[in-house]
Amino acid sequence: MTAVISATGLWTPPNSITNTELVASFNAYVERYNAEYATEIAAGARQALQPSSVAFIEKASGIKHRYALDKEGSLDVNRMVPRIPQRPHEQISLMAEVSVKAAKQALERAGRDPADVGAVICSCSSLQRPYPALAIEVQNELGASGFGYDMNVACSSATFAIQNATDIIRAGHARSVLVVNPELCTGHLNFRDRDTHFIFGDAAVAILVEHVDMAPPGAWTILGTRLKTVFSNNIRNDFGFLNRGDEAHRDDPDKLITQQGRKVFKEVIPLVAEMIIEQMATMDLKPSDMRRLWLHQANSNMNRLIAERVLGHEASQDEAPTVLDVYGNTAGAGSIIAFHHHNADLKAGDKGLICSFGAGYSAGSIFVQKAG
Ligand code: CO8
């Protein structure tokens, strides 16, 4: 056992949006759109938009609220995009700022001096710029040593980065690795799309992964990791620097997240459940050995079905805690938020699983055991 999770940190935006508020904004937009195009809609030349519903959202996803960077701009029917003023180069960039907030909490919880951190990985669904790497800005802001780099694996960004951190430690390149996972999902969410407008929220997490010799009290030993990817277009975002080469399509809806939710639901459940069960067999772990599952927070029905396949019975909230109702889907941060809020009560020797799944498709599992 080479590496441990020494501590985690969480940054949550100050404002939460309820389903009622979100649906009111969306339905006002629908009403206005349908009135504006009433003649074309009546002539069959254009499709009327359908309203959203709180009851559908709660039944289909389990989401009740989500935190948002800018509630007002996201809900303003004349805008429906968060207001995020551009910052001068001299000021810390937004994604680095929220990462640093989460990171400081993780470092403080571990009692770690930032100068002892030897590598920073910033891993998330969407990076606000290609370079310089946000991780290097975070490294600089904290006064960490060593090196930093960015990576992106959509909803599996945090778990893939935890495996990278473990590999860095195993190879001896650094002994203390800070993973930050800033997920400002409302920045790439289409608040005018009924199928996705309710799903995502904003948050940032930090995970301090360290050599076992440095483990503070309450650390979690990393017993094993596994990553899996299978290509799929069912969750896609085509935003990128090449878009400027085709002005006609630069602002098409596919430059924000689009997904075939039902297909994702059906295809990802078996993929993830099989991956976990196979790894448990390899590690000689029985379902009864698993004290808690901290699953990716995309959909409560998906989590119920995955947990049931892994444990062999319906999981209680204690066995597979949900934070989705309060946070919505925070992409890579979801399983870590669940872990952050729900690991302190476990005892030394208890085993659990942090598991992510999402676009790519990508899935990552990190088996952990509470150290003595
Ligand atoms: N209100 C009312 N009705 C609605 C709404 C709404 N808001 N939305 C859809 N409907 C309608 C549909 O149009 C459909 O109508 P009809 O039957 O007439 O065609 C009906 O409701 C049923 O629709 P669905 O079959 O789509 O409903 P589901 O029960 O499948 O629920 C979900 C939809 C909630 C999206 C569900 O399928 C789901 O959660 N799937 C899994 C999705 C998932 O796990 N995605 C992973 C995403 S995470 C990731 O990797 C992305 C990373 C990048 C982050 C980016 C942040 C912006």
Side-chain angles (χ1 to χ4, degrees):
M1 310 308 163
T2 320
V4 298
I5 294 178
S6 289
T8 54
L10 168 65
W11 170 81
T12 303
N15 296 308
S16 169
I17 300 177
T18 65
N19 285 341
T20 307
E21 291 170 320
L22 190 75
V23 167
S25 158
F26 181 84
N27 288 354
Y29 160 71
V30 167
E31 227 172 83
R32 201 167 75 177
Y33 178 96
N34 289 346
E36 190 178 340
Y37 296 106
T39 316
E40 287 175 51
I41 291 168
R46 189 185 280 263
Q47 286 251 309
L49 295 182
Q50 298 303 312
S52 185
S53 113
V54 171
F56 170 84
I57 294 170
E58 291 186 6
K59 184 163 180 286
S61 70
I63 298 166
K64 294 182 178 157
H65 320 82
R66 70 288 293 144
Y67 287 95
L69 199 59
D70 176 42
K71 177 171 178 171
E72 197 237 312
S74 305
L75 294 182
D76 178 355
V77 73
N78 296 311
R79 181 177 171 86
M80 300 176 85
V81 175
R83 261 189 201 85
I84 304 173
Q86 187 171 308
R87 295 182 174 188
H89 290 187
E90 297 70 37
Q91 194 181 347
I92 186 170
S93 58
L94 179 60
M95 290 187 77
E97 181 181 290
V98 299
S99 300
V100 165
K101 286 182 177 165
K104 282 188 172 164
Q105 193 186 82
L107 293 166
E108 201 178 297
R109 284 176 163 217
R112 185 71 57 234
D113 183 340
D116 293 338
V117 171
V120 178
I121 305 173
C122 176
S123 185
C124 58
S125 299
S126 282
L127 290 154
Q128 75 175 83
R129 61 164 186 262
Y131 46 82
L134 283 155
I136 303 175
E137 194 176 1
V138 172
Q139 176 198 16
N140 179 58
E141 197 67 26
L142 290 171
S145 57
F147 59 94
Y149 60 84
D150 292 350
M151 54 186 275
N152 167 352
V153 202
C155 283
S156 288
S157 291
T159 52
F160 275 54
I162 291 172
Q163 173 159 314
N164 269 24
T166 307
D167 291 344
I168 287 172
I169 291 163
R170 205 178 280 138
H173 300 307
R175 287 168 52 80
S176 175
V177 183
L178 177 70
V179 172
V180 289
N181 171 227
E183 297 288 11
L184 302 184
C185 300
T186 59
H188 47 110
L189 178 57
N190 185 351
F191 282 100
R192 295 191 177 94
D193 174 33
R194 183 172 81 140
D195 290 333
T196 53
H197 79 119
F198 59 90
I199 297 178
F200 295 95
D202 300 327
V205 292
I207 309 109
L208 189 63
V209 182
E210 302 194 299
H211 193 280
V212 68
D213 293 351
M214 298 172 77
W220 286 83
T221 304
I222 296 175
L223 299 176
T225 60
R226 183 167 291 188
L227 312 180
K228 188 173 175 76
T229 53
V230 178
F231 184 69
S232 167
N233 278 319
N234 289 332
I235 314 167
R236 190 161 171 135
N237 178 342
D238 269 348
F239 181 80
F241 69 97
L242 295 178
N243 300 152
R244 64 196 288 272
D246 187 353
E247 291 85 341
H249 295 288
R250 207 166 44 193
D251 296 318
D252 284 355
D254 67 351
K255 305 307 178 298
L256 296 167
I257 183 170
T258 56
Q259 74 167 357
Q260 307 290 325
R262 182 98 325 236
K263 286 190 186 160
V264 175
F265 192 101
K266 284 196 180 142
E267 291 170 11
V268 167
I269 290 172
L271 185 148
V272 173
E274 277 158 30
M275 175 177 111
I276 297 171
I277 290 165
E278 272 172 33
Q279 194 185 358
M280 281 170 61
T282 311
M283 295 173 68
D284 205 18
L285 289 169
K286 297 184 294 300
S288 57
D289 293 326
M290 304 306 298
R291 177 65 187 81
R292 192 162 285 167
L293 307 177
W294 298 279
L295 298 178
H296 177 54
Q297 304 283 316
N299 180 301
S300 55
N301 300 318
M302 274 174 108
N303 285 13
R304 183 172 49 78
L305 293 165
I306 291 171
E308 194 171 333
R309 287 194 191 188
V310 171
L311 299 178
H313 61 263
E314 184 150 345
S316 64
Q317 170 71 12
D318 183 62
E319 290 172 307
T322 307
V323 296
L324 182 73
D325 49 343
V326 177
Y327 280 87
N329 181 343
T330 52
S335 57
I336 307 298
I337 298 175
F339 177 76
H340 180 82
H341 282 307
H342 299 284
N343 78 73
D345 59 312
L346 267 51
K347 299 189 304 292
D350 282 345
K351 296 189 181 96
L353 168 69
I354 299 169
C355 181
S356 69
F357 37 89
Y361 297 129
S362 58
S365 57
I366 314 287
F367 284 83
V368 290
Q369 179 171 33
K370 192 149 190 171

